[in-house]
Amino acid sequence: MKTFDPTDFIPGVSLDCVIFGFDGSRLNVLLLRLRGFDEWALPGGFIKTDEHGDDAALRVLKERTGVSDLFLQQFKTFTHPDRTKVHVQELLRKGIIDENAREYFTSRFISLGYYALTNHNIVKPAPDYLSEECAWHPLDAVPELLYDHRAILEEALEEVRLDLQYHPVGQNLLPKKFTMPELQALYEAILDKELDRRNFSRRVMSYGIVEKLDEHRTGMAHKAPRLYKFKKSAYEKALKDGLSNRW
Amino acid sequence: MKTFDPTDFIPGVSLDCVIFGFDGSRLNVLLLRLRGFDEWALPGGFIKTDEHGDDAALRVLKERTGVSDLFLQQFKTFTHPDRTKVHVQELLRKGIIDENAREYFTSRFISLGYYALTNHNIVKPAPDYLSEECAWHPLDAVPELLYDHRAILEEALEEVRLDLQYHPVGQNLLPKKFTMPELQALYEAILDKELDRRNFSRRVMSYGIVEKLDEHRTGMAHKAPRLYKFKKSAYEKALKDGLSNRW
């Protein structure tokens, strides 16, 4: 077990990662349960003295979940003066924090929030040395969370929904060739609402990022549905410049 | 002159405010010039030990510009490990920083970025005790900036442009009754591009937040243009829930 040396990190700044995993029908969020706690927490960590916050977020995510190369997006920094006070006292009482890190942890912390949207299947949840469990939880059944992590999760979700308004989504989350109902299921999972089938298809096609293929998904009970794929260069351009419904 | 006591503030965290002012035809940004420097800087400051970051941003803005009640939006935290190093050395050499604050300032700083979009006329720029000048600069003539403030400014501008895609804009920036060309000039100033007159009007009307009045602006050389106003409740709803072109 590696020991935690507080002098490796800048004081008073943490980061928390909200990892959304799409499983084909709904969104899940990756959570850890700390030793001795009933509540769960977002995967998080600290920034090394010479490290960029974005690199710290990738390192933490890799350490705590085994996942690398996720596109992590910083979305907000959480700065309520009392955001960790109560639970840190509990961590200390339960002896989860080493004595040498006591002062480091009892100072006030602000936390940088990052989110990512990924395919449920590529993540192999693995608990870190502070935690007993690491697992996906569907968004409609999130357990009690430590600190202000419920608020961080909700703001991340709002960001993902906003992002959907002006950027494409789906690459790495859907099969290479997908049906329109599969793409719609992704949008519905993110927005948590049903969309009209015809309007959905019309709007998505109007973006110019999806190509209709002359192929159908076979081996299904009903009529074989049409397959689509993303147009690589148009998709990349829209990721960068935004969708074509922008001003 | 008040003295700076570093123990009043949390270490290693600053904030910077990007204040955009619309003057009827273009966007300007509010900048300060520090004593002994040719470069300018964004108005910024630090977070008190018991203060929320958002409250700190409002306090700093009020202290440094005389403006209160701006809607400041936190948009990103800047965390490059060397983002202030070079210029802080220069501040120390020039004796601008008090001896008692030397250690505080030479540590690494991350900075919370905030932006606001306001009416040019309500701001009375006033230099703070560290600076010689405080002034508006048009976005197409921004002088050399200290630290990473050029990057912070550019990211703030990108945020304002994104926000325009899904939220209404104009209240407090335009007269209560405005013409369609006045509203279009605001959009064009933010986007820094010309928009088609007919498409602009059609799209804005489709949001359902603007009401056509049975009045015209008089006293102008040419044909008196039609006046419009925002529908208060629809505008407020769109601020909260987003414009009606959302999924």
Side-chain angles (χ1 to χ4, degrees):
Chain A
M1 186 189 299
K2 87 182 158 196
T3 57
F4 180 84
D5 182 351
T7 63
D8 290 345
F9 301 96
I10 61 174
V13 181
S14 64
L15 53 90
D16 289 296
C17 302
V18 185
I19 313 301
F20 295 109
F22 180 61
D23 62 12
S25 68
R26 58 185 181 173
L27 283 194
N28 303 271
V29 62
L30 192 65
L31 300 172
L32 295 162
R33 192 169 61 71
L34 271 65
R35 280 189 277 125
F37 277 88
D38 293 327
E39 297 96 336
W40 294 68
L42 297 168
F46 309 101
I47 301 174
K48 290 185 181 167
T49 51
D50 60 351
E51 194 177 38
H52 194 292
D54 295 354
D55 295 329
L58 285 170
R59 176 181 52 75
V60 160
L61 192 68
K62 170 81 181 158
E63 280 174 16
R64 304 218 159 182
T65 67
V67 186
S68 49
D69 294 335
L70 273 195
F71 178 66
L72 278 168
Q73 179 75 40
Q74 193 211 117
F75 69 99
K76 185 172 178 174
T77 297
F78 295 83
T79 65
H80 193 291
D82 301 327
R83 50 177 295 283
T84 60
K85 205 177 266 180
V86 173
H87 287 119
V88 164
Q89 289 306 323
E90 214 173 327
L91 285 170
L92 289 167
R93 256 202 320 278
K94 292 185 175 171
I96 293 172
I97 292 173
D98 298 344
E99 204 49 44
N100 73 324
R102 204 180 171 88
E103 195 189 323
Y104 181 79
F105 279 103
T106 46
S107 83
R108 174 180 165 189
F109 269 86
I110 67 171
S111 193
L112 278 67
Y114 284 83
Y115 74 82
L117 184 54
T118 182
N119 189 320
H120 189 272
N121 300 322
I122 68 161
V123 175
K124 306 271 164 281
D128 67 331
Y129 71 106
L130 282 178
S131 56
E132 278 179 328
E133 288 184 73
C134 179
W136 290 111
H137 293 262
L139 276 188
D140 55 8
V142 171
E144 199 81 7
L145 299 182
L146 290 175
Y147 318 117
D148 57 350
H149 286 190
R150 162 66 69 169
I152 296 178
L153 168 58
E154 274 165 18
E155 296 226 24
L157 188 57
E158 181 55 24
E159 284 298 316
V160 170
R161 286 174 180 160
L162 270 184
D163 198 51
L164 195 67
Q165 310 302 326
Y166 53 81
H167 283 134
V169 67
Q171 228 173 28
N172 307 322
L173 300 177
L174 295 175
K176 252 203 159 58
K177 297 175 183 179
F178 51 85
T179 67
M180 200 48 85
E182 284 167 349
L183 183 60
Q184 185 170 339
L186 172 61
Y187 275 72
E188 290 181 337
I190 295 172
L191 295 166
D192 192 26
K193 68 176 179 194
E194 281 183 37
L195 299 172
D196 177 74
R197 189 178 59 81
R198 204 182 296 258
N199 286 341
F200 177 80
S201 166
R202 191 183 307 124
R203 181 154 175 179
V204 161
M205 294 311 291
S206 80
Y207 292 153
I209 56 165
V210 165
E211 187 178 342
K212 198 176 193 168
L213 298 175
D214 203 15
E215 295 175 53
H216 293 74
R217 168 82 42 83
T218 53
M220 295 176 81
H222 300 291
K223 181 169 170 278
R226 163 85 65 179
L227 287 170
Y228 296 80
K229 67 169 189 171
F230 291 116
K231 296 184 199 170
K232 195 166 159 37
S233 69
Y235 189 100
E236 301 292 336
K237 189 175 182 307
L239 266 188
K240 211 174 126 282
D241 301 338
L243 290 165
S244 54
N245 64 340
R246 285 182 69 160
W247 284 103
Chain B
M1 186 189 300
K2 90 184 154 190
T3 58
F4 179 83
D5 183 352
T7 63
D8 290 345
F9 301 96
I10 61 176
V13 181
S14 64
L15 52 89
D16 289 297
C17 302
V18 186
I19 312 302
F20 295 110
F22 180 62
D23 63 11
S25 68
R26 60 184 179 173
L27 284 193
N28 303 272
V29 61
L30 193 64
L31 300 172
L32 295 162
R33 191 168 62 71
L34 271 65
R35 280 189 278 125
F37 278 89
D38 293 327
E39 299 94 337
W40 294 69
L42 296 167
F46 309 100
I47 302 175
K48 290 186 182 168
T49 51
D50 60 350
E51 193 178 37
H52 194 292
D54 296 352
D55 296 329
L58 286 171
R59 176 180 51 75
V60 160
L61 192 68
K62 169 81 181 159
E63 280 175 17
R64 304 218 159 182
T65 67
V67 186
S68 49
D69 293 336
L70 273 196
F71 178 65
L72 277 168
Q73 179 75 40
Q74 193 211 117
F75 68 99
K76 185 170 179 177
T77 297
F78 294 83
T79 65
H80 193 290
D82 301 327
R83 51 177 295 281
T84 60
K85 206 177 265 180
V86 173
H87 286 119
V88 165
Q89 289 306 325
E90 213 174 327
L91 285 170
L92 289 167
R93 254 199 324 276
K94 292 185 175 171
I96 293 172
I97 291 172
D98 297 344
E99 204 49 47
N100 73 324
R102 205 180 170 89
E103 196 189 324
Y104 181 81
F105 279 103
T106 46
S107 83
R108 174 179 166 191
F109 269 85
I110 68 171
S111 194
L112 279 67
Y114 285 83
Y115 74 82
L117 185 54
T118 182
N119 190 319
H120 188 273
N121 300 322
I122 69 161
V123 176
K124 305 270 166 283
D128 68 330
Y129 72 105
L130 282 178
S131 55
E132 279 179 328
E133 288 184 73
C134 179
W136 289 111
H137 293 262
L139 276 187
D140 56 8
V142 171
E144 197 81 8
L145 300 181
L146 290 176
Y147 317 117
D148 57 351
H149 285 189
R150 162 66 69 169
I152 297 178
L153 168 58
E154 273 165 20
E155 296 225 23
L157 188 57
E158 181 55 23
E159 284 297 316
V160 170
R161 287 175 180 159
L162 269 183
D163 198 53
L164 196 67
Q165 310 302 325
Y166 52 82
H167 283 134
V169 66
Q171 227 172 29
N172 307 322
L173 298 178
L174 295 174
K176 251 201 161 59
K177 297 176 183 179
F178 52 84
T179 67
M180 200 49 84
E182 284 167 349
L183 184 60
Q184 184 170 339
L186 171 62
Y187 275 71
E188 290 181 337
I190 295 172
L191 296 166
D192 191 26
K193 69 177 178 194
E194 279 183 38
L195 299 171
D196 177 74
R197 189 178 59 81
R198 204 182 297 257
N199 286 341
F200 177 81
S201 166
R202 190 184 308 125
R203 181 154 177 180
V204 161
M205 294 311 290
S206 80
Y207 292 154
I209 55 164
V210 165
E211 187 179 342
K212 198 174 192 171
L213 298 175
D214 202 16
E215 295 176 52
H216 293 75
R217 169 81 43 84
T218 53
M220 295 176 80
H222 300 290
K223 183 171 168 276
R226 163 85 64 179
L227 288 169
Y228 296 80
K229 67 168 188 173
F230 291 116
K231 296 185 198 171
K232 193 166 161 35
S233 68
Y235 190 100
E236 302 291 337
K237 189 175 181 310
L239 266 188
K240 211 174 126 285
D241 301 338
L243 289 166
S244 54
N245 65 339
R246 284 181 70 160
W247 285 103

